[in-house]
Amino acid sequence: MENRPTRRSALLLGLSLAAVPVTGLAVARYAPQADAAELSGTVQATGLDDPAKKEIAMQIVCSAENSSLDWKAQYKYIEDIDDGRGYTAGIIGFCSGTGDMLDLVELYSDRKPGNVLEKYLPALRKVDGSDSHSGLDPNYTRDWKTAAKDTVFQGCQNDERDRVYFNPAVKQGKSDGIRTLGQFCYYDAIVMHGDGDDGTSFGGIRKRALGKAKPPSQGGNETTWLNAFLDARVWAMKQEEAHSDTSRVDTAQRVFLRNGNFNLDTPLDWKVYGDPYHIG
């Protein structure tokens, strides 16, 4: 899995402070419940939150993060990729040093007290904001893989992914008047950069794009806006050496945009780091 730049503003301060999973978003952990409209069948998902499109999004992100389309195989993934964020794990790269792994394990403990990871909560609180493994080694990675077999833990990973990354991206995309592809561009950016307001987080990237173009909701052209957003995204990626390869934008998202595939309709062909991928 590739390492991520500036997912939390605390990391910009040299990992000196405990991080919040998404800066600028004060959203409590939740157990998803359908509202009355959903239960009555009057609300239908549109855009990236359509289940089929969401599945495509998970596969494309997994191609960049794990060199695979099998995103469900990543529940058990865990390693330290030496990026200053401690352990990186799970379907979206929850990190022990950036707060979102702590939130995830707390949610798991809320839903299933006494689980195999609960005993690591004190250590996770202590290492938050650092790359330390103190209190986690030697058995944390083994216990993570054990937990990953539990459907309750898998559900927790899904829900935290949605709360912290997916739902904010779709919400902002719909507010900006962009279709499925644009919402995916937002999602991939939030996965890598976080939803903060500093220059290289999602909010800063969008602000930089606003200096060059307007989203459709403000009367702008969708293609022009997405090109401006992707330009700003590439700039942000290049601020960290680890992301000097911008192929997840250049040979994936740009390809879909050039083809005018605003709805992410299949078949889809793209490359990440030179490796080809296909969804039929």
Side-chain angles (χ1 to χ4, degrees):
M1 177 180 287
E2 90 173 288
N3 46 348
R4 298 173 180 73
T6 60
R7 289 181 59 186
R8 313 281 184 300
S9 61
L11 294 174
L12 296 174
L13 300 175
L15 292 171
S16 61
L17 298 173
V20 178
V22 178
T23 55
L25 270 180
V27 185
R29 292 198 313 276
Y30 68 101
Q33 296 181 349
D35 62 23
E38 289 172 323
L39 292 172
S40 68
T42 59
V43 173
Q44 293 183 340
T46 58
L48 200 65
D49 48 358
D50 176 90
K53 301 300 183 182
K54 186 175 184 178
E55 176 66 23
I56 289 171
M58 297 305 113
Q59 293 181 65
I60 299 174
V61 169
C62 193
S63 73
E65 297 285 312
N66 298 92
S67 299
S68 169
L69 296 182
D70 188 4
W71 67 269
K72 292 181 180 179
Q74 311 311 320
Y75 290 115
K76 66 181 182 296
Y77 167 80
I78 182 167
E79 67 175 322
D80 190 324
I81 56 177
D82 296 322
D83 64 348
R85 294 158 173 83
Y87 281 119
T88 296
I91 59 172
I92 210 66
F94 303 99
C95 296
S96 60
T98 59
D100 55 354
M101 182 180 286
L102 171 59
D103 285 349
L104 171 63
V105 177
E106 286 179 337
L107 178 62
Y108 185 31
S109 296
D110 288 346
R111 293 183 179 177
K112 190 172 184 177
N115 69 73
V116 70
L117 296 181
E118 188 172 46
K119 61 181 175 287
Y120 295 104
L121 281 173
L124 286 170
R125 293 184 182 110
K126 289 181 180 178
V127 302
D128 187 17
S130 77
D131 63 355
S132 174
H133 295 179
S134 178
L136 299 176
D137 292 340
N139 295 322
Y140 185 65
T141 57
R142 181 198 65 189
D143 289 340
W144 179 281
K145 292 174 183 178
T146 297
K149 300 174 184 178
D150 183 0
T151 56
V152 175
F153 187 50
Q154 293 174 13
C156 291
Q157 289 198 37
N158 292 344
D159 291 344
E160 284 296 277
R161 171 204 61 203
D162 289 351
R163 179 184 73 88
V164 178
Y165 304 105
F166 187 82
N167 293 345
V170 172
K171 181 178 180 180
Q172 184 62 63
K174 289 184 176 183
S175 178
D176 284 342
I178 54 178
R179 287 172 279 179
T180 308
L181 172 59
Q183 293 168 30
F184 173 76
C185 293
Y186 282 14
Y187 173 57
D188 190 65
I190 292 178
V191 166
M192 176 177 281
H193 303 279
D195 197 26
D197 293 323
D198 60 88
T200 54
S201 290
F202 173 76
I205 293 170
R206 183 175 174 276
K207 183 177 180 180
R208 190 178 185 88
L210 284 169
K212 301 292 184 180
K214 293 181 179 181
S217 62
Q218 298 180 24
N221 174 272
E222 188 171 12
T223 299
T224 301
W225 167 248
L226 290 180
N227 273 315
F229 179 82
L230 293 178
D231 288 345
R233 168 82 189 281
V234 166
W235 175 87
M237 291 175 71
K238 289 184 175 179
Q239 301 312 298
E240 184 171 327
E241 179 61 29
H243 294 95
S244 56
D245 186 325
T246 57
S247 59
R248 67 193 292 158
V249 172
D250 302 332
T251 54
Q253 296 169 45
R254 296 274 197 194
V255 172
F256 307 146
L257 183 56
R258 283 196 298 269
N259 291 338
N261 192 353
F262 292 100
N263 293 318
L264 275 182
D265 294 325
T266 56
L268 292 168
D269 292 278
W270 73 97
K271 292 182 179 180
V272 182
Y273 310 124
D275 298 327
Y277 296 93
H278 172 81
I279 299 176

